[in-house]
Amino acid sequence: MAQVTVKQLSEVVGATVERLLEQLKDAGIEVAGADSEITDEQKFKLLDHLRNSHGKTSAATAGKGKITLKRRSTASLKSSGSKAVNVEVRKKRSISKVSDSAPETDSKEKEKAEIQALMAEKEAREAVRAEAEVVAIEKSKEAAKQREEEAIAKKEAEVKARIEAEQQAKVVANAKARGAAKAEASKTTGSSSSSDDRNKNAQKPAAKGRGKGDTRYGRKELHVASGKKGRGKKTSRKVLAAQNAEAKHAFEKPVEKIVYDVDVPETIKVSDLALKMSMKAGEMIKTMMTMGVMATINQVIDQDTAILIVEELGHKAIASSADDRENSLLASAGDELHGELPRPPVVTIMGHVDHGKTSLLDHIREAKVAHGEAGGITQHIGAYHVETDKGVITFLDTPGHAAFTSMRARGAQATDIVILVVAADDGVMPQTIEAVQHAKAAGVPLIIAVNKIDLEAADPDRVKTELGSHDVIPEDWGGENIFVNVSAKTGEGIDDLLEAINLTAEVLEYTAPAKGPAQGIVVEATLDKGRGVTTTVLVQKGGLRKGDILLAGQEYGRVRAMFDENGKQIDEAGPSIPVVVLGLSGTPAAGDQVQVMTDEKTARELAENRHHKVRDVKFAAQQQAKLDSLFTNLGKGEVKFLNILLKADVQGSLEAIKDSLMKLAADNDEVDVAIVGSGVGGINDTDISLAAASNAVVFGFNVRADAAARKSVAERGVDMRYYSVIYDLIGDVKDALTGMLSAKFREEIIGLAEVKDIFRSPKFGLIAGSIVTEGTIKKSQPIRVLRDDVVIYEGELESLRRFKDMVDEVKSGTECGIGVKNYNDVKIGDQIEVFERVEMERVL
């Protein structure tokens, strides 16, 4: 048991301090005072002394051998929000008398009594401690409540003092204003007097018998102003009234404009942009209209327009991209690539149409691809890898037609070496120059293969001269470009061409990481009815395996199967190897980047984000184009549209045809092409329904309609046409647009007569006697009457006579009588001009 003081022991045993001190002194225990501590030994010593003293003085209890002591103590407990509760603590302690005849029994009784005494003492001390804690809690609550009341009273005093000071300042300001404005003295005096009355009423003391914060029932209530309804309502009204009075007459200082840092994504709604600048959307739309930008509150605008608007409004625009997360994911995937190893070179064959590109590649591959192409021209990008004596070489064959410019550009960007094929008998042509420009823009080496040298009209030196004017200088002329004379028909020079390719690859030392998630580019994509979406992918880094999660542009999917260019199934493809992949969710665009992802969820999220971004950018561009052409088209006639629904076999051909069709009527204001729908794959019933609803012509390029679609075509009367050569498709659309052009006429003067005299006829009225000075006067053609070389009338002839005979025409140098219909003001010296309208041939 812990040590206690004399005072604490007196409270436990229920005796006074003086009585306890006397008993301690009698027991031989020396203590200094009430605060002196008593040990456990001293307590037992005191207990023995009390037992002995009671045993000697109490004869009545000597025979019983047991003494029972009872103590009562009362404590008051008080909790917050309730009345005080009196608690009575009862203690009972029994002391057995020690018997000389039974020492063992007495010792046990003694030990039992001591234990009971100690337990009673412990219970009493815990009760006292609990009571002390309750009292301390109550005191702390009262102190906190008092501090809170003092803080509220101080705050109210400060508010009152501030309001009084501001009211006094207003009174002084109003007095000065009254002295300065003598003309409005009466009005100012009235307003100031009413203001003074309000101030006096506001400064009147409270009603007698009710202090500040008192209610009608005399209770004290504390009102705290807050933004909520209910409590504090009266105080809030007073403060609000004072603030309104202050704002009514006080001078407001101009607020400094806040300049925001506005984060501008690639596309943003007008309402969202206004919210970022903390302004109303209507005010921002007014500013946009002054800048010439017409947009509604829910319209999406592009990043450049948004930056101009933000800067016009005085804020700082920060261009951001929604691709931050995508770039971080792709960068993390690129960090996993490792193992740099030599890779095969990627060679793209480019040149003008019909210069023998595919035939040259056929001889290298020992294939017959050119014979399978419609019209003998390549209309797709072909990807092949060839094993030669010098190693593996990957070839990309691009079309040479003018419509496939984007295909050639993608081929140049995905390649290491460009082989420019030029026919020795034809020389440099437009697509040859374009291929040179693509190769220079991509910064890749250029090797010139002068083809068809087996022909009699071949002139390789002419090719060198013409290419020299475009900065393509042969090595034998001191330049950097290798020229090789070849013949795709006989095979002459093929080995020299392969040697030049391998030499260039050895010098440049092409390497790529062979391990890690694959990265590449989409060469071509098509929709096969049996296998689904088939995508030709050129792997550039890492390794592509069956089962990988692939992200290609806006499409994603798991690689279900892979094939080489010969249709043989493979399980893995390394750098510079083209493969055909099955399993994507849709046909990606040719030229899209390909990336292997870790999980399908991330791939799907990135694909959807790309789709939404492309859609928003496209929509914003369309809206901008419409607004830009709004005022341009005012005053012009109605534009006629040729609606087209286009389906093609591969994505690259689809893009090329769409670009060519949109360029047909680019410079014409009367007709235009509207592609209402396009896609890769066969023509189905849904396409026919769309074409019928939009009154469109269905064009199928290397695809056919299924049975249901053919039945719908017959029932709905839709015009559907098949094509396999791009020349024919573009030519038919051009002819259709030409037929939609409105007729234009040209006026040609065919005759001129001069009036010499005027006659009156009772039947025809005024007759102009004239002589034909130029051409022929014809009765069936319109005329104009000129006076002093100014047209005064335009109409037609009513009669044409030669003497008394009616004639249809009068030639030059002959006199005649001319009657002008509905016009009788012809005078001598006037000229009558006869003209005819000739229809002009319209072309795009």
Side-chain angles (χ1 to χ4, degrees):
M1 183 180 295
Q3 295 181 352
V4 295
T5 61
V6 176
K7 184 177 180 180
Q8 292 176 349
L9 183 59
S10 66
E11 293 176 356
V12 172
V13 300
T16 60
V17 177
E18 292 78 4
R19 175 64 177 165
L20 187 58
L21 289 174
E22 291 177 1
Q23 291 176 349
L24 289 171
K25 185 176 181 182
D26 293 340
I29 302 172
E30 297 294 334
V31 292
D35 295 332
S36 300
E37 295 182 349
I38 300 176
T39 63
D40 293 340
E41 295 179 357
Q42 292 174 343
K43 291 177 186 177
F44 287 121
K45 187 176 181 180
L46 175 62
L47 183 60
D48 292 338
H49 168 69
L50 292 176
R51 287 173 180 169
N52 295 331
S53 63
H54 283 291
K56 291 177 181 180
T57 59
S58 180
T61 60
K64 297 180 180 179
K66 185 177 182 181
I67 300 174
T68 301
L69 301 177
K70 296 182 179 181
R71 303 292 184 188
R72 293 185 180 180
S73 62
T74 304
S76 178
L77 299 179
K78 184 185 293 183
S79 61
S80 59
S82 63
K83 296 181 180 181
V85 179
N86 295 324
V87 180
E88 183 180 14
V89 181
R90 296 182 180 180
K91 308 172 186 177
K92 182 178 181 181
R93 182 167 55 184
S94 298
I95 303 175
S96 300
K97 183 178 180 181
V98 179
S99 175
D100 297 335
S101 61
E104 295 179 359
T105 303
D106 293 342
S107 62
K108 292 180 179 180
E109 292 293 336
K110 184 178 180 180
E111 291 177 359
K112 185 176 181 181
E114 290 178 356
I115 293 172
Q116 292 178 352
L118 293 175
M119 292 178 63
E121 183 179 358
K122 182 178 180 181
E123 291 176 357
R125 187 169 62 255
E126 290 177 352
V128 172
R129 186 183 299 110
E131 182 179 357
E133 290 177 355
V134 171
V135 173
I137 292 172
E138 292 294 327
K139 288 183 179 180
S140 63
K141 288 183 179 179
E142 291 178 357
K145 183 176 180 181
Q146 185 177 1
R147 289 195 299 271
E148 184 178 358
E149 290 177 351
E150 290 176 356
I152 294 173
K154 184 178 179 181
K155 186 175 181 180
E156 290 180 349
E158 291 176 355
V159 172
K160 183 177 179 182
R162 181 173 59 82
I163 294 175
E164 290 177 355
E166 291 173 350
Q167 289 177 351
Q168 291 178 0
K170 294 174 196 172
V171 172
V172 174
N174 291 336
K176 291 182 180 180
R178 287 196 301 271
K182 295 181 180 180
E184 298 179 357
S186 58
K187 183 177 179 181
T188 308
T189 304
S191 62
S192 64
S193 61
S194 61
S195 176
D196 293 338
D197 293 338
R198 289 195 299 271
N199 294 334
K200 291 179 181 178
N201 294 331
Q203 296 176 1
K204 285 183 179 181
K208 186 177 181 181
R210 186 185 300 175
K212 183 179 181 181
D214 291 351
T215 64
R216 65 170 63 181
Y217 303 108
R219 293 181 300 185
K220 293 284 185 179
E221 291 188 3
L222 178 63
H223 299 283
V224 181
S226 64
K228 300 181 179 179
K229 296 183 179 179
R231 294 183 178 179
K233 192 172 182 180
K234 294 182 179 179
T235 305
S236 300
R237 287 181 179 176
K238 292 180 180 179
V239 176
L240 187 59
Q243 293 176 352
N244 292 337
E246 176 186 359
K248 187 174 181 180
H249 297 288
F251 174 75
E252 295 182 359
K253 296 182 180 180
V255 181
E256 184 179 357
K257 184 177 180 181
I258 302 176
V259 179
Y260 293 99
D261 292 339
V262 183
D263 185 20
V264 182
E266 294 182 357
T267 57
I268 186 172
K269 278 187 178 181
V270 173
S271 57
D272 295 341
L273 185 60
L275 184 62
K276 289 188 176 184
M277 293 185 289
S278 299
M279 66 181 302
K280 294 181 179 180
E283 297 296 330
M284 196 183 77
I285 291 176
K286 291 181 182 178
T287 305
M288 294 169 60
M289 293 176 68
T290 59
M291 298 172 61
V293 179
M294 310 293 291
T296 60
I297 188 172
N298 293 322
Q299 186 171 321
V300 178
I301 57 178
D302 59 285
Q303 188 180 59
D304 296 335
T305 305
I307 290 175
L308 293 176
I309 295 170
V310 171
E311 293 176 350
E312 178 70 18
L313 292 171
H315 300 286
K316 184 179 179 181
I318 301 175
S320 65
S321 175
D323 301 334
D324 295 338
R325 183 172 182 273
E326 178 179 345
N327 294 334
S328 63
L329 290 174
L330 297 179
S332 62
D335 295 338
E336 300 178 8
L337 295 170
H338 60 280
E340 289 279 346
L341 295 175
R343 62 173 178 85
V346 179
V347 180
T348 300
I349 299 181
M350 305 176 70
H352 192 74
V353 63
D354 200 26
H355 275 202
K357 300 181 297 298
T358 307
S359 300
L360 180 62
L361 183 58
D362 289 345
H363 199 282
I364 297 175
R365 295 179 58 231
E366 297 181 355
K368 300 295 180 183
V369 179
H371 296 282
E373 296 286 356
I377 61 172
T378 301
Q379 301 179 119
H380 312 101
I381 291 183
Y384 319 95
H385 74 281
V386 179
E387 296 182 2
T388 64
D389 296 338
K390 302 293 184 179
V392 179
I393 302 176
T394 299
F395 287 95
L396 298 180
D397 184 18
T398 61
H401 189 265
F404 297 95
T405 300
S406 57
M407 283 191 179
R408 287 190 292 276
R410 286 194 294 268
Q413 293 171 359
T415 190
D416 300 320
I417 302 172
V418 171
I419 295 180
L420 179 61
V421 179
V422 185
D425 62 334
D426 204 4
V428 176
M429 301 299 287
Q431 271 64 60
T432 308
I433 301 173
E434 181 188 296
V436 171
Q437 294 172 351
H438 287 317
K440 289 184 177 180
V444 296
L446 185 63
I447 299 175
I448 292 82
V450 183
N451 194 19
K452 301 183 180 181
I453 59 171
D454 55 316
L455 300 178
E456 295 181 359
D459 188 1
D461 293 334
R462 172 194 171 192
V463 174
K464 292 182 179 180
T465 304
E466 292 178 350
L467 287 177
S469 61
H470 297 282
D471 295 332
V472 180
I473 310 300
E475 285 183 332
D476 52 356
W477 289 8
E480 299 179 353
N481 300 105
I482 302 175
F483 279 67
V484 181
N485 297 331
V486 297
S487 174
K489 186 175 182 180
T490 62
E492 180 182 353
I494 299 295
D495 294 336
D496 296 337
L497 180 62
L498 296 178
E499 181 68 26
I501 295 173
N502 290 318
L503 179 61
T504 305
E506 289 177 3
V507 172
L508 297 178
E509 296 181 352
Y510 297 114
T511 60
K515 296 181 180 180
Q519 297 179 8
I521 189 172
V522 176
V523 177
E524 194 59 89
T526 182
L527 182 63
D528 189 89
K529 189 174 182 179
R531 299 192 296 178
V533 178
T534 60
T535 307
T536 303
V537 177
L538 176 63
V539 181
Q540 295 175 321
K541 298 179 181 178
L544 181 61
R545 297 172 181 82
K546 183 179 178 181
D548 287 344
I549 304 298
L550 205 61
L551 174 66
Q554 305 176 41
E555 309 298 337
Y556 73 98
R558 186 181 297 273
V559 179
R560 294 189 288 107
M562 290 196 307
F563 305 90
D564 60 9
E565 67 272 12
N566 297 319
K568 182 180 178 181
Q569 190 167 356
I570 57 177
D571 295 331
E572 185 178 358
S576 300
I577 300 299
V579 291
V580 178
V581 176
L582 304 182
L584 290 182
S585 57
T587 54
D592 285 345
Q593 295 295 322
V594 176
Q595 174 70 55
V596 171
M597 307 302 297
T598 56
D599 58 285
E600 188 173 355
K601 181 180 178 181
T602 304
R604 179 172 60 252
E605 179 184 354
L606 294 179
E608 291 176 354
N609 290 340
R610 290 178 177 179
H611 177 72
H612 293 321
K613 182 179 68 175
V614 171
R615 183 189 62 184
D616 292 342
V617 171
K618 183 178 179 181
F619 179 74
Q622 289 176 351
Q623 293 295 326
Q624 186 66 27
K626 290 179 181 179
L627 293 173
D628 291 342
S629 60
L630 177 62
F631 296 102
T632 305
N633 294 332
L634 289 178
K636 295 183 180 180
E638 183 179 358
V639 180
K640 299 178 182 179
F641 286 94
L642 176 61
N643 296 329
I644 294 176
L645 191 145
L646 181 62
K647 298 298 288 288
D649 56 342
V650 295
Q651 188 72 30
S653 298
L654 181 67
E655 293 179 4
I657 296 172
K658 287 171 63 176
D659 293 341
S660 300
L661 294 181
M662 297 305 294
K663 292 177 182 178
L664 284 178
D667 299 331
N668 195 287
D669 298 331
E670 296 183 25
V671 294
D672 201 355
V673 175
I675 300 178
V676 298
S678 61
V680 176
I683 303 171
N684 52 38
D685 187 48
T686 304
D687 298 329
I688 302 302
S689 299
L690 177 59
S694 56
N695 194 23
V697 182
V698 180
F699 288 161
F701 186 76
N702 287 333
V703 294
R704 296 294 182 265
D706 55 18
R710 291 194 297 269
K711 183 178 179 181
S712 297
V713 168
E715 293 176 352
R716 297 171 180 261
V718 176
D719 187 6
M720 181 176 65
R721 304 186 180 189
Y722 296 142
Y723 295 92
S724 58
V725 180
I726 193 172
Y727 293 111
D728 300 336
L729 190 151
I730 296 175
D732 287 353
V733 174
K734 187 175 182 179
D735 294 340
L737 291 175
T738 303
M740 293 171 59
L741 294 173
S742 59
K744 281 192 175 182
F745 296 92
R746 181 182 69 254
E747 295 182 356
E748 292 184 358
I749 300 174
I750 60 175
L752 187 64
E754 184 178 355
V755 179
K756 296 295 185 179
D757 201 356
I758 302 297
F759 303 96
R760 295 286 178 177
S761 170
K763 184 176 180 181
F764 298 105
L766 189 142
I767 300 297
S770 309
I771 183 171
V772 180
T773 57
E774 295 180 10
T776 303
I777 304 297
K778 294 183 179 180
K779 182 181 178 181
S780 59
Q781 301 298 331
I783 66 166
R784 294 189 183 96
V785 179
L786 287 72
R787 183 173 299 166
D788 297 331
D789 296 329
V790 177
V791 177
I792 60 175
Y793 178 76
E794 182 174 348
E796 59 183 12
L797 294 179
E798 186 175 16
S799 65
L800 180 62
R801 291 178 176 269
R802 174 73 176 141
F803 298 106
K804 293 184 180 182
D805 300 328
M806 296 287 293
V807 293
D808 292 333
E809 63 179 31
V810 179
K811 295 184 178 181
S812 177
T814 307
E815 295 180 350
C816 61
I818 300 175
V820 182
K821 189 175 183 179
N822 299 328
Y823 187 72
N824 295 322
D825 193 26
V826 179
K827 297 182 180 180
I828 298 174
D830 290 347
Q831 291 180 330
I832 298 176
E833 178 183 86
V834 181
F835 63 93
E836 63 178 356
R837 292 186 175 91
V838 180
E839 184 177 356
M840 299 173 57
E841 182 180 359
R842 301 295 305 277
V843 292
L844 288 177

